[in-house]
Amino acid sequence: MPFLGQDWRSPGQSWVKTEEGWKKTSADDKNNNVSVESFCKAEEEECFNKENLLLSLGYDMAAKKRKKDLMNNNTKVPYFHREKWIYVHKGSTKERHGYCTLGEAFNRLDFCSAIKDTRRFNYVVRLLELIAKSQLPSLSGVAQKNYMNILERVVQKVLNDQQNVRPIKELLQTLYISLCGHVQDMGKSVLVGNINIWVHRMENIMQWQQQLDNIQINRPTSTGMGLTDLPVSLQLNIMQRITDGRDLVSLGQVCPELGVLTEDRLLWKKLCQYHFTDRQIRKRLMVSDKGHLEWKKMYFKLSRCYPHREQYSDTLHFCTHCHILFWKDTNHPCTANNPESCTMSLSPQDFINLFNF
């Protein structure tokens, strides 16, 4: 397109569009054949062309933005798989190429329904915590996104039910500390995606932590019999079912009567023997001035040195015969004569180790 306006190569001259075509004219030339109307018409046409060009560019940018927003909105909608069992293949065969990864198993198994099941909730929370500590970079981008979606559902369930607040707060704290280290190593391709996405997810974690800190447990409206109305023997029997010493301490802060019962030495002795071995207990003996063993102090000291015993109402199971991973109450297509004999229960750590090959 010819240059419209003053040309730096010929000062004082300009290009004007006429009926015969574009012509170069001088501003001082009074005898030119180009009328003022044609010059104004040329400027109007040029402005019109520019406006059309800008409008077309604007429409293209708006269309691209709408398409991008649509894609973002679609990707923000969490999609949860609901497969009851999956086949875990660890190598290539004639029938199947490749192997099953931790991220693939995490995507395909039905964790969405598992977090709604009281028996499986603690199992899933522990699995999320182990993944946050060391396995998050090994997950694919889809698995990492699915991880955050499941975590969001877990937090919402705790906020609605007002139960299991402390384990989720510990999970969020572990994940936040882990992400702080991963975000600093973004140049090493530790996490999949843009750094701004992960910064936004860290902000969501901080917001969830604040919501959990501000949660207020509502007092039940039931006027029936409470824990303190039961005989002391029954109260102690109920307390012996508690497997976390911190829950016993919290229970003792409810009222002075329960506080006295939670200091029972036999209660803390059984708690120590449940989580730790005799050898571990002997290494951390603590004796009071009266010659008695300080079982409560020993419990918290042992907790800092050794892991607790993990026990879950329902876990994932693995069939060594057909190499299928499934939930306990799910029937899998096993061809063995006695499927129960070749089935083993997997702890959260065993589930992760299953894919470390």
Side-chain angles (χ1 to χ4, degrees):
M1 179 177 177
F3 184 78
L4 183 60
Q6 291 187 351
D7 191 348
W8 62 273
R9 292 168 296 185
S10 55
Q13 295 180 339
S14 60
W15 290 93
V16 179
K17 186 176 182 180
T18 64
E19 296 179 356
E20 299 177 357
W22 289 88
K23 290 185 179 181
K24 186 189 300 183
T25 61
S26 174
D28 297 333
D29 190 3
K30 299 181 181 180
N31 299 323
N32 56 60
N33 295 328
V34 181
S35 63
V36 178
E37 295 179 356
S38 63
F39 182 79
C40 294
K41 183 178 179 182
E43 288 185 339
E44 291 176 357
E45 291 180 357
E46 183 202 5
C47 293
F48 181 76
N49 293 332
K50 287 184 177 180
E51 290 177 358
N52 289 339
L53 179 61
L54 293 176
L55 287 174
S56 62
L57 291 175
Y59 289 145
D60 292 339
M61 293 177 62
K64 291 180 179 179
K65 187 176 185 302
R66 287 194 301 269
K67 184 178 180 181
K68 183 178 180 180
D69 292 341
L70 180 61
M71 293 177 62
N72 290 336
N73 291 333
N74 290 337
T75 54
K76 288 178 182 177
V77 177
Y79 178 75
F80 297 96
H81 290 270
R82 298 182 180 274
E83 298 187 23
K84 300 297 182 181
W85 57 268
I86 61 172
Y87 176 75
V88 181
H89 49 285
K90 297 185 178 182
S92 299
T93 61
K94 294 181 179 179
E95 296 80 9
R96 186 184 293 270
H97 178 70
Y99 55 91
C100 183
T101 62
L102 175 63
E104 182 181 354
F106 188 78
N107 282 334
R108 294 174 57 190
L109 283 173
D110 186 13
F111 286 103
C112 179
S113 300
I115 60 179
K116 300 177 182 179
D117 193 337
T118 307
R119 301 171 303 167
R120 301 173 182 174
F121 181 82
N122 292 330
Y123 185 89
V124 177
V125 171
R126 177 57 177 167
L127 180 60
L128 294 176
E129 183 179 2
L130 292 177
I131 292 177
K133 287 182 178 179
S134 59
Q135 301 296 325
L136 193 60
S138 65
L139 301 181
S140 62
V142 177
Q144 291 178 2
K145 187 173 183 178
N146 191 31
Y147 178 93
M148 299 302 299
N149 290 333
I150 293 178
L151 180 61
E152 182 178 2
R153 288 206 170 191
V154 169
V155 174
Q156 293 300 324
K157 175 178 171 53
V158 172
L159 292 175
N160 296 333
D161 298 344
Q162 297 183 343
Q163 298 179 1
N164 300 306
V165 177
R166 186 180 63 248
I168 305 306
K169 292 174 65 175
E170 294 176 352
L171 168 61
L172 294 178
Q173 183 65 20
T174 301
L175 179 60
Y176 186 83
I177 295 175
S178 179
L179 287 179
C180 287
H182 293 329
V183 168
Q184 295 177 358
D185 298 334
M186 284 296 289
K188 301 178 182 178
S189 300
V190 177
L191 297 173
V192 180
N194 191 285
I195 185 174
N196 296 326
I197 298 177
W198 288 101
V199 171
H200 177 68
R201 289 173 177 172
M202 293 175 66
E203 293 175 353
N204 290 337
I205 294 174
M206 295 179 63
Q207 183 179 0
W208 295 337
Q209 288 177 329
Q210 186 177 2
Q211 292 176 354
L212 292 175
D213 291 336
N214 298 332
I215 191 173
Q216 295 181 357
I217 307 299
N218 298 325
R219 183 180 294 274
T221 57
S222 177
T223 58
M225 181 177 295
L227 180 62
T228 55
D229 300 329
L230 298 175
V232 175
S233 59
L234 290 181
Q235 294 183 35
L236 289 174
N237 193 8
I238 293 174
M239 293 178 184
Q240 290 177 3
R241 304 297 191 274
I242 299 177
T243 59
D244 195 329
R246 293 171 296 180
D247 293 335
L248 277 178
V249 175
S250 299
L251 181 61
Q253 296 173 353
V254 174
C255 62
E257 293 80 6
L258 293 178
V260 175
L261 293 179
T262 53
E263 295 294 331
D264 185 71
R265 294 179 58 255
L266 183 60
L267 194 64
W268 290 96
K269 177 182 178 180
K270 291 184 177 180
L271 196 59
C272 290
Q273 293 175 345
Y274 174 79
H275 286 288
F276 311 107
T277 63
D278 294 338
R279 183 177 181 181
Q280 293 172 344
I281 294 175
R282 286 195 298 267
K283 290 183 178 180
R284 298 292 187 274
L285 290 178
M286 298 179 67
V287 184
S288 64
D289 297 336
K290 297 181 180 180
H292 301 299
L293 290 176
E294 297 284 353
W295 289 104
K296 182 178 180 179
K297 294 181 179 179
M298 289 169 54
Y299 169 81
F300 289 105
K301 187 175 182 179
L302 289 167
S303 300
R304 292 190 294 267
C305 301
Y306 306 105
H308 283 192
R309 176 184 175 183
E310 297 181 4
Q311 186 173 5
Y312 305 97
S313 301
D314 193 6
T315 63
L316 285 169
H317 285 63
F318 181 72
C319 181
T320 57
H321 178 77
C322 57
H323 300 281
I324 286 181
L325 187 65
F326 61 98
W327 289 104
K328 181 179 180 180
D329 58 351
T330 304
N331 295 324
H332 68 287
C334 186
T335 58
N337 295 329
N338 188 8
E340 295 182 358
S341 62
C342 54
T343 300
M344 61 179 181
S345 176
L346 298 179
S347 66
Q349 186 62 54
D350 294 335
F351 172 80
I352 294 178
N353 294 337
L354 185 65
F355 302 95
N356 293 335
F357 48 83

